[in-house]
Every structure is written in structure tokens, then in C-alpha cells.
Amino acid sequence: MVEYPSGWTCELIIVKLELYLIGSLPRGEALAVAEHVEACAGCGQRLVLLQVDIGQAAGAPGPRGPRTGGRRG
């Protein structure tokens, strides 16, 4: 189990992954999830699998990336 950033365990990340993918997390939480997924291979794999599941449910041909809340121009 990885705890990175401080206090962000794999269990907490797993609970938040779907919200992360659909862009429903506050920016600070989304950044913490992104940092954890970068550091944890297991959670990174879960993220990819969830992307595929969500994409298939929506009828999309492949994985979709998370919305990071960046500025639109």
C-alpha cells in the first residue's frame, strides 16, 4: 500500500477514481489523486481499467483521460 501524498492511501484513491475521471473532484483532490496514481503502479492500473470500463459504457472506442480543470481558451 502506498500513502502518497501524505494521508492519501490506495483505499482512498480507489474510492475517488471515478469522480477523478469524470472531473467531479475539487482541484486539490484531483491533484492528489494524480500524484498518487503517478507513484503507485497498482492504482495506475486501476485507473486504466476504469477508463476502459467507463469508455465502453459510454460507447466510446477507447480510454478517456481525466478532466484536470485546466483553463479553456
Side-chain angles (χ1 to χ4, degrees):
M1 178 176 77
V2 174
E3 185 174 324
Y4 180 81
S6 181
W8 287 81
T9 62
C10 295
E11 289 84 9
L12 180 59
I13 296 300
I14 290 166
V15 169
K16 296 191 179 271
L17 279 180
E18 187 171 350
L19 294 174
Y20 172 73
L21 282 175
I22 62 174
S24 293
L25 288 178
R27 184 165 175 79
E29 288 186 27
L31 290 172
V33 170
E35 287 181 22
H36 181 92
V37 168
E38 289 273 331
C40 179
C43 288
Q45 290 173 347
R46 286 182 185 265
L47 177 64
V48 170
L49 292 174
L50 187 56
Q51 286 175 318
V52 170
D53 287 346
I54 288 173
Q56 288 175 347
R64 296 182 312 197
R67 289 178 30 201
T68 57
R71 295 187 326 177
R72 293 183 178 152

